[in-house]
Each structure stands twice: as structure tokens, then as C-alpha cells.
Amino acid sequence: QEVIKGSVKDEDGGPLPGSSVYIKGTTNSVLADANGEFSLKAAKQFPFTLTVNLVGYKAQDVDIYELPEEPLDVTLKIDNVLDEVVVVGYGELRRKDITGSVASVPVELKAQPVSSPERLLQGATAGVTVTQTTGQPGGGVSVQVRGNNSITAASDPLYVIDGFPINNDYSVNDAGVVDGPKLNPLSFLTPNDIADIEVLKDASATAIYGSRGANGVIMVTTKKGSKTDRSSIVYDGYYGVQEVIRTVPVLNARQWWELRKEAYVNTPNGKAPTLPAAGAFKYDTIGEGTDWQKAAFTQAAVQSHSLAIYTGSERTALAISGNYFNQDGVLRNTGFKRYAMRFSIDHEVNEKFRITSYVTAAQTNGKVAPNAIVPNLLLTSPAIPVYDTLGNFVKNTSTDSPLQNPINSLLNQVNESRTSRLLANVAGEYKIADGLALKVLLGTDIVYNRQNRYLPNSTYEGNPSGGVGTGGIATIGSQFTSSWLNENTLTYSKVFNDKHNLNVVGGFTAQASKTQGEVASAAVFAFDDLTYNALQNGTGARTPSSSSVNWQLASFLGRVNYVYNEKYLLTATLRADGSSRFGSGNKWGYFPSAALGWNVNEEDFLKDVRQISFLKLRVSVGTTGNQGIPPYSSLGQIAPNRYNFSNTTVQGYAPITVNNPSLGWEKTFQTNVGFDLGLFNNRVNVIVDAYNKKTTDLLLNAAVPGTSGLSYYDPNTNPSQQSTVYQNIGEVSNKGIEVALNTQNVVTNNFQWNSILIFSKNVNKIVSLGPGVDRIIPTISQPSVLQVGAPVGSFYVYQTDGIIQAEEAGASALTPQANKSAGGQKYKDISGPDGVPDGVITQAYDRVLIKNQPGTNIGFTNTASYKTSFGDFDLTVFFQSNLGGKLYNNNRATLELGTGYYNGSADMLNRYTSTNTNTDVKEAYQDPAVTISDRFIEDASYLRLKNLTIGYTLPTTWTSRIHIQRLRIYGSAQNIATWTNYTGFDPEASFSGQSLVNRGIDNGVYPNSKTILGGISLTF
Amino acid sequence: CSKFLEEDPKGFVTTDNFYKTEADAVNAVTAVYYLLNQGGNGVQTPYNTLFNTGLNFECDDEFPGPGATNPDVRSMANLLHTSTNLRVYELWQQHYAAVKKANLAIDNIPAMTTVGDALKSRLIGEAKFLRALWYFNLVRLYGDVPLITHVQNGVTATDYAIERTPSAQVYDQIEQDLKDAADALPNSYAAPDVGRATKGAAIALLAKVYLTKASLPLNLTAHYQDAVTTAEKALSPAEGGTGTFGYALQTDYSKVFLPAYKNNSEHIFSAQFKSGSSSSFLTQGNNQNPRSIRTQVPGLAGSYADQTWFYTVDDATKPGGKDKFFSVFKLYTSKDKRRDVTFVTNFKSPTNGKKYGGLNDPTISGHKVDSIPYFNKTWDPGTTAFTSESAANVAIIRYAELLLIHAEAENELNGPTAKAYASLNKVRKRAGLDDLTAGLSRDQFRDSLYLDRRLELVFEYQRWFDLVRQKDAGGNSIFVKTLQAAGKPNAQDKHRLHPLPQQEIELNPKLEGHQNPGY
């Protein structure tokens, strides 16, 4: 049998003894001797692949087509993450040369089956808090880099996809018709297409994005073709089943009826008797009744199929991919679909001129669960059947205050959002001289959103009176956003005297966006068959609306990177941004930053310390900005004010906002210190950063006295109808520490085990809310508070103090509620107007501050791979945790009302009665108003087995026979186990969307699901 | 480049481009009326349910029903509200929002050269009338309030720092505005302007202002004379006045409220409501209507958020000598035609024709329940499918009240004279009642008059103001004892004024330390 001989060397030509050499797909292996030489038996069949491996070096594959006549020379390159090129704003840098804080999503976590790419950041990058705010398929994800700087301006990071800063505002794919969680504008991207995700965190890294950099920048790089003539066709697909993580235990019909009767008896007859007429429902003989949650939740399929072709030639690289993604919701009749295609080309016209272009086109269709559904699943009386005796849906499900039948609403409402998005750009790069290149980029981002909604006659919300042919409300809306971008950058990159490495970028960019939308609606349809497709059939005319919003941004930018002798690094950045959103006197902002780095391991005194492979110290300082407020916020706006005379509608007009020409940037000043440490040939890598951010001149939609007369109602921006003006006041600080630890625990020929531990902790604090303002309660009826000295998202609530006992009952009982009898909820008397407890519980003096902010983020990933002669096995176990956050469980507050108007939680079985006095659950009583208290603030800490994947890659010796380069099959489970004390559906999918202020309130959003899926990954 | 960054909104007009044309002037004044109706979807405005949840519920006629789940509303109904109460804030803020719109018109229109003098004078008169109305409410709700008579265009909170103005000064402004309005406004309007403020409205409201000043708590009794004199300027000759406005009582009490007869000769000034064809976003309908309708009546959308307040009174004919279900409903005598217009005890389903009555439950022993009366004054027979589209106007001042103002002021001034009897009996007669017993004392007459005010004006946002005003034979306020007797044990004297909103105090340093007593 033939023998293959060869030697393994490093880049300097030195021998690498101990290198392992083996034939892929077999157990046939050998170690190189002291001279780095080896010989081993060839495989029986050509061609085969020889793999050469050594710890600390990059594995090298050698394809053997026939027996070589000369000994093979195999050169291994040092496996140094520091030599990897990282995408930063307007350029690329070696990781080694970076002075700022830039985190990458580890390769181990990039393959997770998620619906949109930013979900990959969760638990994967230190300093990034990702919260899935809703379980709605295609729904929102809240991403915050190093806490939130802002209070009322946007706090999501800027997303830059292949150099194009895209509009990530949730309004971009919301025509304003759909009721329910907003769909995620990033869900048009196929996670499979993503090659890398980098997070720019400190001022040095983000200042190049100036006015949009303060909330961090997420740089997404997509997969490219390669400039070789090898084509590969890759298919990735999976199919899985999802299920709601948990349901909330509530009373059954029999138990509810007992509660209701008790509430009736306990309440003095000041209230009207409110029980339903006898015979309407036979409650006294009822049993379990309806389990609304069981009726609404279902097992739901999720599947994704991607096909990509990566190819190229000497001067051209080409990638084409397509994706079909379909996720049904765990709530019936909800879901999300994506059809996406992507095209990227990189072509060298000649030595000097290069053209690159990327095109992404996607169609996403979401069927959204209306907001009221989930709360109603819990609150609707179990004594109400889903269907009446004739088999029709019961419409009005409540026995007193009207709730819609959630199953009827879920199945029969039309509530859908369809978005087409085209993201395309083309860039030409011309090498003017040695080291000097000019790049001109032109791009466009076009989003068309269309939303349809129909509330049929057969539902309560579509026909509250229930008459024949009196209802049916159809609404359609569309919104078209087109934006263009032009970037012109000049890059100069040169090494002088082998010691001075200089990289300079300068440029000018301009971006503009135009959004036009319209909503039309009609009501009163004789029949429901045509839903929203024939507005002209409706006899009830409704006022249509249209809108137009433009914004523009013009910028100058410059950056200098200087490295001396591979040791000392300097980065200086300046960006000047002019934004249309600000007042006429304050359009331009200037955002400088500077950073220093020191590659200590290059110093002589560390050269001989073999354990330390790499050590870099970094320090940076700089200012970035935020412009995330709605356009036209600085202008005095005249708004319509309707009235009617002679029974005819007339339109009046009056200003609703004041002119504020001095409105300007929100500025974040950030300092960062950190180090990167590589130990034992970089088998252990540690990155530690500490930062201190101070955000001043907040773009605060600040309250002004009601005597200002400024009041307007907007369900999205100003639901409380408070008097506010956008001003630059207030200050917020964020301090934090981040640790990323990456270890290669076991590295042998056939077994590898890596761990990644991510830890980050941010402390947010409101420093100032403007002169003389200590506290703002944004919505009076909600527990959230903005308090100087406390984090954004804290609570201001009553403190409960057990149950009113018989001897404490009466007019002086310590409660703000109507029920002052034994069994009522008792509260702590904190203070009175004179600063001492006054024997009464009042909103003004007896509420306490409970600080709250997102807790400590921890991600812990273990990956292992095991090679055998019958294939390779891989295992990923990914735990994700958030510790210390709190949630106000609004559902529970309503479920513990004990009025009997709604259903109660299972805890109500332990309520106070004359025979059950030793309890902390108050008695049944007909006072249907929640009192906001600490009782409903729960610890939302959780530990979650976020992902468990087992994969098996078939040996190439088997698959090559059917012309398959690689075939991997895998099974995966997401969210399969969650450890938490939180009593709601899920501690994560409970946040109030993007609102920073109310994010600690669980209002009953679409719950999260767990998934089990199987997939296949195939490369031809 | 600076051009590139300029904002040129296409979807709205900016303040720089307004107050130019005659249409702008008219539209600016229409906007002052806006808060009489609806501030937008989901928002309660004073005459569109806010006075109900933030005022009526505090009294002895009404209470939040099962459909009212707002804790602020319920605590207010139990007189447990404090300065942080949402409704306390909303009442304040919406009145000032309306004042601002009036000030904008009053400040901007005089300089507009595109508007003719006659129209200009009328428009300013309308704005002044409305400003007076809003301040009249404010001063009664909160006592001393910041008096703002010119537009403020500040940006920061401190730009709006202004102290409380003594209520006497606020009343001076109200009187001046009403006198100016009376001089400027026409007697009446033809379509399409019916519903705008008239000269008669300004005079009638002024009479009410004088009567209020003469009553508790200000007790400036000299103004009873002004009230009588002014009321007589608006009363028609048939009622002994000199008014030329053609005001008269409707012969049928139900016609006062039904939308088919809106803006009839009894309506001096009303908040205008209009039905749409469905519950649309920019509705002009009266949202009060569905709130008082029982839930689960097929064909009617009712939320039963407003219910009659039941309380316990002594009644020998009932078990235990107590009537546990006493309410304002039972104060009407059987002759009184007003009861069955004001209330219904069952709703007839437009879908199946069946009648749906009280939500009582015979399965629980010991509760033999009387009929449940539901408020029905905003009923619109034309919009049963969309009950929130009721076109029933809300009377802010109507002729029956003017007669009662006249009777009350005359009684206080000269005792129960023939004039006082005549005005009160006019109202009683229309209700189907006999003339009031002759020869009553002044105090007896007053008590009877206030009872008739309650029965005549129930659900029209008058009761709370009357409870604050009314005095007993000793000249003391009846407020606390009346409410406590009606099953509201938390009632205290401090509740005669609302607290200044806490948020307002925190944002306006000039209010700090000037909260109303007891809060």
C-alpha cells in the first residue's frame, strides 16, 4: 500500500513536531515527529483529504488526487483571532489593531435557528441586552447596547448591513392598521445569509456613526462568494414544532362561580346587584367550564429552507441565496412567513477598479394576535362557552363588563401586515495611488408595508351591539418609505519604515428618506365574506387619512488609525452630522473620539513569558449622539380640532406643539478601559471592559405644566395625554462591566470542547430630569416612574402589609380601596403631608420607589465535537440568563381582583374568608379596580436552556460518492427549560415593546414558545 | 446644504403659516369649541364623560359600575382621591387646553386684516364666552387658579410657572369676558352656525356666575340682586323677563334631550354631539350613552360603567326597617314625568324585541332586588346599533335652569315672592307636578328648589356644584352631611374643592406650598 510522506512547518519554516495528520472520515492518523515529519498510509481510494492539525494553529486541509512523488510541505498558520479582519464603520481593521470595544458573535452561536439576525446576539456578546418582547412570530426584539442612554428618544442601536445604515424604526413596517405587537423590521433578513455580526460599543468604535452611534452600532456582514472557480451549493433546512412555554393557572368555572357569589355577598349593597339573570347560564351546575388557554394555544410548526450558491472566478465573487421561512404561532391563526432572496457580487474590473453590489429583496407576511387576546384568555370567565347552543361563537363573553370572546377574535379577525423590502447598493472603489483609494457608494432602502384588518359582524369588537348587519369594520393601510444613501470616502493606508502603520479615512455622506402613508376604512357590511377587500360595500363611511414624513442627514467623517511598531495604537475619529430633525438653530452636531491601545505582549519584557500569548490594554473616550425623535418635533404644528354646528361637522385648527428652534442632539460622553488577554497559545481568551457613559441634553419629551394648554392624545406617543415638549434636558448615566471568556478546554485529534462565558452588568441611573424636577410619573395609572437617582423603568407603588384583620377593619383601615372590612388588602402608611404617617393611605404620600432595571446578563455556551470513522458529532449547549430584573405582573393584579366580573388566578382559592383568615390573599369583593402595589412586582430572574443542538456530519468518504461535500443532520431544542420564580407566562416575553419607561410592566403579551426541531445542512 | 436639512412638512401646517386668512380665524374659533365634545379616541373631555367620572361619581346620584375599572375613578367615587388622581389632572389640563385655544383666538384675530370687523367681533366674542365658561368651571373645581389670558409659547416647564390668582380676580375676568361676549354676540344663528355661543347664552351664564358668587362658599350675597337682574334680561316676557331670545320650556320633558329636537328653544348653550354611522376614530358622538347601558342586551353596545348609586335609608316598609336600594330614582313622585325620561328600568333589544332588566340574581337568598334604574338622558333612538354615536347634546345651560336660577336668587334676595314661585312652578308644571305649596319659608323654599334642581338636572353635571353651593337654614354647607347620609362616609369639607394636581405643583414651583387645604 502507498505511503504519503511530508513535513509540517510554521510560517517561518520551523518544524512543528506533534502535529496530527489524518485522513478525513477515517481513523487513519499519525503524529509528526521531532522534525515535523510524518508518513502514513494513503486511503484506498483517491481523492481524499488530509487534515493537518496543531493546537494554536489553523487546521489545514490538503486534497490528495494521486500519490505525490515528492514529500508534501504543509505550512500551518498561527490560529490567531487577532489577525482576523473585523468590519468597523467605513472600513476594516485587524482585531489586533483595534483600540475600541468591538464584540463579535462567536461562530458557535451563529447557526441557531432564529427568525431574525439580531436574536443571535442574545447571550452571545457581552454588553448587549436582547429581550424578546413578544412571542408573536416575526415580532419585536428589544436590543440595548450598554444600557439605555435615553428616556423618550430611540434606544435601539444603529444597524449597518454591509455598510448601509438601515432604518430600524418599528414604524417603518407599520402602516398603523394592525392591532398587536409591532413586527420586527429586521426580520426581512435571513439569518442564514449572515457571515458576521459585530457590535461596536465604545465611543472610539461608534463615533464614526456620530449622531446615531450613541446606542451602539450592530455591523452585519453577509456571506460572500469566493474568488476561486469552486462553486458550492448549500442547502439548510429545518422543521420543528413549538409549544407555549407555560400556561397560567386560573380558576375553573365552578371555582369562579363560588368566587363570584362570595364577592357579591361581601360587598355592601352600595353596589348594584350584578349577577346575571337566572337561566342565562346554568352556573350552579357547571363543572370545569372552558379552559380558554387550552382553546387558544396549539402546537405550531416552524420551518426554514435556504438555498445558496457561492461561486466565483479569478476576479469575481458571487453569492446568490434564497430563503423560505414559515413560523406558525402558538396562538392559533397567527404566524409569520418570509420569502427572501439575496445577491452579492464583487468584481475587479481591473487592478485599480473594483465594484461590489448587494441586493436583498424580501417579502414578509405576518398574522398578528390583537393585543386584547392574551389578557382575555386569562380574564374571561370559564363559565362562558366558546360556542353557543347553535354552534355559533359566543360574542360577548363577560357577565358584566364586556370582554370579547378571545377565540372568536383570534380565529375570525383579520389582522395582517405584509411588507416588501428592497435593500440594494452598489459601490465602486478606485485605487488612485499606492495606499490611496476612493470609494463611492450609492444605495437605496425601499419598504412597502400593507396592512389589513377586518372586524367581522360575528365578533363583539366588530359589532358590539350584536345587531344584524350593523357591524363589520374594515381598515386597510399602506405606507411607502424610500430612502437613498450616498457615501464618498477616501482611504489612505500605508506602512512606513516597517514601523509606522497609518490608516486614514475621510468622507462625506448624505442620506434622505421619504415616507408616505394612507389609511382607509369603512364599516357596516351586510356580510363578512369579502372582509377588507371591498370597502365600497360598507354603508358606514369613515374618515380616511394620509401622511407624509421626510428626513435628511448630511455628514462629514474622518478617522485616523496609527500603529507604531505593532505596539502602540492610536485612533482618532470625528464626525459632523447635520440632521433635519432638529431646530433651525441647532442642526449640526460634532462627535469626536480618541483611543489608545498598547499591545503589551510585543514588549520585550513579555516576549519570553510563554503563557501570555497576547495582551492589549485599551482606553477610549468620546462623544456620540442620538437623533431618535420623530421628524418635525421642533416645529409648532397646527392640528385639526373637530366640532359640529347645525349637526354638520366642521374642522377647527389650533397648535398642538410649540416651536422649539433650539432643539438639538442628545449627547453621550463615554469612557472605556479594557484589556484583551490571550493565554496558553490563545487557548484562553479574556476580554474585559469597563465603561462609564453620561448622556446629557436628553431628548426628553418632558412634561410641562398643564396650564401650558399643550395636550394632545396619541395612542403611540402620548397615551396619557400629558402636556409635553421635546426638550434637551436631563441626564442619564450608565456604568458597567463586561467580561467575555473563551476557552478551548480540550483539544485532541478527535475531540474538542470549547466554552464561552459572557457576563455583563450595567447600572443605569437618572441623574437629572431638568431643573427642579425630581420625579416624573409618565402615566398616572401605571406603576412606572422616572426618578432622579433611580434607573429608568423603576416603579412607584403602594406597599402591601397583609390583610386587614377583624380588629383593624372600619373607616380607619389602612387601604385606599373601598373595601375597608376584614379581608381587604392592607397597605403601609408611609407618610402624610407633614412627613409622618397620618393614618390614611394616599397616592401622594404612601407610595414607595422600587428600583428596577434589566439585570445581569449571562451567557454560557459549551460546544463539543467528536470525530469518528463513521462521522463527526457535535453538541452545543447554550444557557442564557438574566438575573435581578423585576416585572410588574399586570395580569396577576387583575386576576387577584376577586370581583367575579373576571376570572381569578388559582391563588384566589386561598383567599380570605371567615374560615380562612390566615392568608395573604384578600377576600372576594366587587371593586373592579387594580391598586398598584408591590404585591405584583415579581423577580423576573431566569435561567434558560436557550439552545441544545446535537449534530451529526456524515463522513465525506460516504457522501463524496453521491457528490456531496458535506452533509450534517441535527436536532435542536430552543427554550426547552426555563428556571424562574416569575408567575406570568414568561419572564422575557413580557416587556412592553420598545418603551423604556414601561418595559417593566407585563401587560399580557404574546407568550414565548419552546421549540424542538430537526434540520439538515447540505453542501454540494 | 442648509436647504437639504430644512424641514418642510407636507402633512400639516406650522404655526408660521396660520392666522392669515378669514378661514383661519373661523377655524381657530371652532377649535375653541373642540373640547366641549371629544378630544380624541380614548380621551374623556369635560362634557363628554369626564364630568361624569370625575364629578358625578363623587355625588349621591351616581357610581362607577362594573365597567368602570379605572382605580382613579373608583377612588374618586369613594372620595378617596388625592392630588395624584388621574381625573383631577385631566380636568385641570383639559380646561387649560381649552383656555389656550381661546387665548390664541383672542390674541391673534384682532390683528388679522383679512377679517371683516363684524365677523372679527363675533369670533372674539365666542372665544371670550368659552374662556369664561372654562374659567367658571376651573374656579369652582379648584378655587384660586392661575389666570392666563394671553398665549404662552414657552418651551420649558419654568416658562409656564405662574401662581394662583385669587378667585375674586378670576371671577372678575369671567364677568368681563361674558359682558364683552354679550355685547359682541348675535341673538341667534341660522344654519350652518347653530350651536355657537349667543348673546343670550352669555347673559344666562353671567346670571349663573352671579348666583354662584352669592352662594357658598364665597357667600357674596350682594350678587343675588345681580343674578335676578341678569336672569331677567334673558328670561322671555312670558316668564317676566325682557329677553328677546325666544327661550321657552319644551312642553314635553323628553324632547329636551332627544337629538331630534336638539338646539330647541330651551337650549341656551349646549355641547354639540353628532352621530356617525359607526364607531369611527374621529367620532362626534356622546360617549356617555353606552356607559349607562346594561351589558349583554342584543343589539345595544353597553358597558355599564355608570350606574345609579344605591344607599341605605330608613324605611319601615322594608325588611329590617331599611331600604338598602334607595337612590335618586326613588325621590321622584309617581306624578313626576321626569323620572321615566331620565331613567329606564329595562332595555328593549332592537334585535330580538325582548326586554332586559336588572342584573339581579334570585339564586342568592336574602337579596330581593328592586328594579335597577339606568340613566337614559343621552339616549339616541337613531343610533341604537352604535350607542356611542349618540347625537344627544349636553345642556350646559338651559332655560329650565335659568328659571331655577331666577327663583333661587329671588328667594334669597326677597324671600319666596310670587316671582320666585312663578319661576319654580313653571319648571314643576312641565314635569307634571303641582305648584309648590304656598307660604313656605325662605329655607323651606330653598330646600324644595334644590330638590327640583336635582330631579330636573340629574346626570347633567350640576349636582356636585349644587352640593358645594347649597346651605341649610343655619347658613352652613350641606355638603358633608348630605354625602355621608348617602353612604359616602369619607366625605369631608375639603372635598368641596379638588386638589391641585400633584404633577402641576411639581412642575410649577409657584404652586408649591399652595395646595388646597386637606390634600
Side-chain angles (χ1 to χ4, degrees), chain A residues 86-107:
Chain A
V86 175
V87 175
V88 295
Y90 304 95
E92 296 176 337
L93 285 175
R94 285 191 305 170
R95 182 162 273 288
K96 197 179 191 173
D97 294 345
I98 288 178
T99 53
S101 180
V102 179
S104 304
V105 174
V107 65

Side-chain angles (χ1 to χ4, degrees), chain B residues 168-188:
Chain B
Q169 239 172 288
V170 180
Y171 270 108
D172 286 348
Q173 183 69 43
I174 294 166
E175 288 166 37
Q176 190 56 52
D177 277 346
L178 287 175
K179 284 175 187 162
D180 291 352
D183 289 343
L185 292 173
N187 280 6
S188 65

Side-chain angles (χ1 to χ4, degrees), chain B residues 257-261 289 300 350 376 378-385 389-392:
Chain B
F257 309 103
L258 286 171
Y261 309 97
N289 192 43
L300 295 180
N376 196 45
T378 51
W379 179 250
D380 181 353
T383 58
T384 54
E389 291 291 339
S390 166

